[in-house]
Every structure is written in C-alpha cells, then in structure tokens.
Amino acid sequence: MGEDILIVDDEKEIADLIEVYLNNEGYTVHKFYNAEEALNCVNSSDISLAILDVMLPDMDGFTLCQKIRESNLFPIIMLTAKVEDMDKITGLMLGADDYITKPFNPLELMARVRTQLRRYTKYNNPEYLIKAAEEFDIRGLHISRKSRKCTVNGSEVTLTPIEFNILWYLCKKQGCVVSSEELFEAVWGEKYMDNNNTVMSHIARLREKMKEPARKPKFVKTVWGVGYTIEN
C-alpha cells in the first residue's frame, strides 16, 4: 500500500495501538501527541489520510481538522469519546469524512481507513472526475446531468427541473451537510429569507417521488437544525 497516515492522539496507548495495526496493513505512520507537531508534519509530508482525536492538549481536534482542510483534501477520520450527535455534526461540517467513538474495535477503524482511501483515490482519478461531472451513482440512486434523468434501483423517477437541481446539488455535495440557505440560493438563484419553507416542501415532495420513508430516508437525510445531506 505505502500510503502515509497521520495519527494525532494524546493518549499514547491508543496512538500506539493504532500505529501497530496500520503498520501491519503496510501503511507508513506519522504519530503525534499534539496538534502543533501534526500541522508541521502535514505541511512537510505527503499525507494520504489523518486520524484525529477530538481532545488534544494544545488545540481541539475540530480546530485541527479545520486548519488541515484549509489546504488539504485527504480524508480525515475523527476519534471521539463523545457520542452526542452535535459533536459528530460539528466534525462533518468542519471537513471530517468519518468519525468513530471510543472505545472502538481496531479492525473497524482499519476498515474505515481502507474505505476512505479507496474513495479518495477514486475521486481524484482524472477519468473519474470527468465522468463525475456528468453523473452520480450512489447506492442505487443514479442521476445524469446530461440526460436530466434520475433512477432509483433501476426505476425512473420523474422530477421537475427544481427537484432535479436540488437532488443534483446534494449529490454534488455528497458527504457534506448543505443548509437550507445554501440550497435555496444555489437552486433558485435568489437570496434566502428567514422562515422560508420552500426548500423543506420541495425536499418532502422529492422524497415522496423517490418513495423514501420520511422518518428514515435512505438518500436525502435531514440533519436537524443544520440542513440536508446525502451521505457517502
């Protein structure tokens, strides 16, 4: 494999354990117990993926994630002892690609590392990027900008131009949480006004056409108080 993996965790035992498993998988490991040294490493090394603890002595992991995202696109997995949804949402909003809560199974973490690296390699392949600009295929949802068609598990879904543009924008932002304000201004091209229920009503209609259950949708998910997302 040979990819360089960054580990940042002030709990030495956990950092050492992750290092052992990563080395066994053939990765090159850069291990640090504070954010400052980790940032220096990011700026001087060719990192392929980072594993960041939320609780660090000199800077919280969310801030470190945000600083890394200023100039790097490689995957970031957050380690957190907290299980509150808001902590998970915060990490995703600031640029994290995945999270795992402590205590965790090291084999599960390795599986997540492999998955994120596989996606990163795929999405940064020039041939894939050309194709991705024209269509998306996400767990049975296929949408093509060229043909303006959408299918779910092989069945065509008839969408209005607005519904298509909403779904396309969310697919383009796959893995990110998109606020109602951002979605409205991107699709309608107008300034978003408070208490505007236009986006919510269109999302509801879109889910209905895609035959998605309102409480547990597979594709367009609501992040309460934040916006909407189509997960990776």
Side-chain angles (χ1 to χ4, degrees), residues 9 36 82 97 120 138 147 157 160 188 199:
D9 196 320
E36 183 179 358
K82 300 179 180 181
D97 298 277
Y120 181 63
I138 305 169
S147 66
V157 181
T160 66
W188 278 267
V199 171

Side-chain angles (χ1 to χ4, degrees), residues 13 16 23 42 46 56 107 149 157 177 189 198 225 231:
E13 296 80 5
D16 290 348
N23 283 336
V42 169
D46 187 16
L56 297 170
L107 295 178
K149 289 185 177 180
V157 181
V177 180
T198 302
E231 297 178 341

Side-chain angles (χ1 to χ4, degrees), residues 37-215:
E37 292 181 344
L39 280 174
N40 290 335
C41 175
V42 169
N43 293 330
S44 61
S45 304
D46 187 16
I47 300 299
S48 298
L49 179 144
I51 301 171
L52 312 179
D53 185 28
V54 169
M55 304 299 291
L56 297 170
D58 56 341
M59 180 190 303
D60 68 77
F62 295 138
T63 302
L64 175 57
C65 173
Q66 193 172 26
K67 286 184 175 293
I68 290 175
R69 272 290 170 261
E70 290 175 359
S71 55
N72 297 275
L73 296 175
F74 56 74
I76 297 175
I77 299 175
M78 303 296 297
L79 294 178
T80 174
K82 300 179 180 181
V83 296
E84 290 86 352
D85 287 341
M86 203 60 227
D87 290 304
K88 299 173 183 177
I89 292 169
T90 298
L92 294 172
M93 289 283 285
L94 293 177
D97 298 277
D98 200 358
Y99 57 83
I100 190 166
T101 55
K102 298 177 181 179
F104 57 85
N105 184 330
L107 295 178
E108 179 185 354
L109 178 58
M110 293 306 103
R112 290 173 184 251
V113 166
R114 288 192 295 271
T115 297
Q116 290 299 330
L117 286 173
R118 191 161 56 242
R119 288 173 178 166
Y120 181 63
T121 301
K122 175 183 177 182
Y123 292 166
N124 282 275
N125 182 290
E127 292 183 4
Y128 173 80
L129 291 174
I130 292 172
K131 181 180 178 181
E134 296 297 331
E135 62 184 53
F136 292 95
D137 199 339
I138 305 169
R139 301 187 307 279
L141 164 64
H142 183 84
I143 183 170
S144 170
R145 187 170 64 173
K146 186 175 181 179
S147 66
R148 299 287 293 186
K149 289 185 177 180
C150 171
T151 61
V152 175
N153 297 324
S155 299
E156 186 169 348
V157 181
T158 303
L159 302 177
T160 66
I162 288 291
E163 291 164 350
F164 182 94
N165 290 341
I166 289 173
L167 187 58
W168 178 264
Y169 192 81
L170 290 173
C171 287
K172 187 170 68 172
K173 292 278 189 172
Q174 182 185 359
C176 299
V177 180
V178 179
S179 68
S180 295
E181 178 180 356
E182 178 185 347
L183 193 54
F184 183 87
E185 293 182 359
V187 173
W188 278 267
E190 300 175 8
K191 185 67 178 176
Y192 181 83
M193 304 297 290
D194 290 340
N195 301 318
N196 189 330
N197 294 321
T198 302
V199 171
M200 183 173 64
S201 61
H202 277 79
I203 291 288
R205 180 59 178 159
L206 182 59
R207 286 174 175 158
E208 181 180 348
K209 288 187 174 183
M210 296 171 69
K211 298 181 179 179
E212 286 213 87
R215 295 194 175 186

Side-chain angles (χ1 to χ4, degrees), residues 204 207-208 211-224:
R207 286 174 175 158
E208 181 180 348
K211 298 181 179 179
E212 286 213 87
R215 295 194 175 186
K216 289 187 177 182
K218 178 181 178 182
F219 300 109
V220 182
K221 298 190 176 183
T222 301
V223 180
W224 295 109

